[in-house]
Amino acid sequence: MTAVYLTFIFVLAIFLGFELISKVPSTLHTPLMSGSNAISGITLIGALAAMQTSHHGITVLLGTLAVILATINVVGGYLVTDRMLAMFKKKDQGGVQ
């Protein structure tokens, strides 16, 4: 019963997330990406805390995987955000200042 309930919540979250993301105007993508990077940082801290509390083999393996994926998400997200913000900077006018 619990697995069916959790699967239902997971599928509902997928549809809700897709609908929300598809309705976001392009001018808000950079601020939302910065916010999601902060959430991924919280996920990284949570994964580290979960790894520290248990010493079972599968828990350490899943915690390590969560730390690796969250780190990739945070670093990649900030690189993409930086690149997007660089698009809005004024370009140099041939070295004249």
Side-chain angles (χ1 to χ4, degrees):
M1 179 68 182
T2 304
V4 173
Y5 180 69
L6 292 176
T7 304
F8 174 74
I9 290 175
F10 180 68
V11 171
L12 189 63
I14 290 172
F15 285 122
L16 180 65
F18 180 77
E19 284 297 316
L20 286 173
I21 295 298
S22 65
K23 306 269 190 277
V24 173
S26 60
T27 55
L28 293 178
H29 278 270
T30 301
L32 287 176
M33 182 166 262
S34 296
S36 68
N37 288 337
I39 293 171
S40 293
I42 294 169
T43 305
L44 181 60
I45 293 171
L48 287 169
M51 278 180 48
Q52 184 179 9
T53 60
S54 179
H55 299 292
H56 298 295
I58 190 72
T59 307
V60 172
L61 179 68
L62 290 175
T64 303
L65 183 65
V67 167
I68 291 169
L69 292 176
T71 302
I72 290 170
N73 195 16
V74 169
V75 171
Y78 279 114
L79 290 174
V80 169
T81 301
D82 186 53
R83 187 171 182 187
M84 288 174 67
L85 289 174
M87 293 179 2
F88 295 105
K89 292 181 181 176
K90 290 186 179 185
K91 294 186 173 144
D92 190 20
Q93 301 293 331
V96 178
Q97 293 183 358

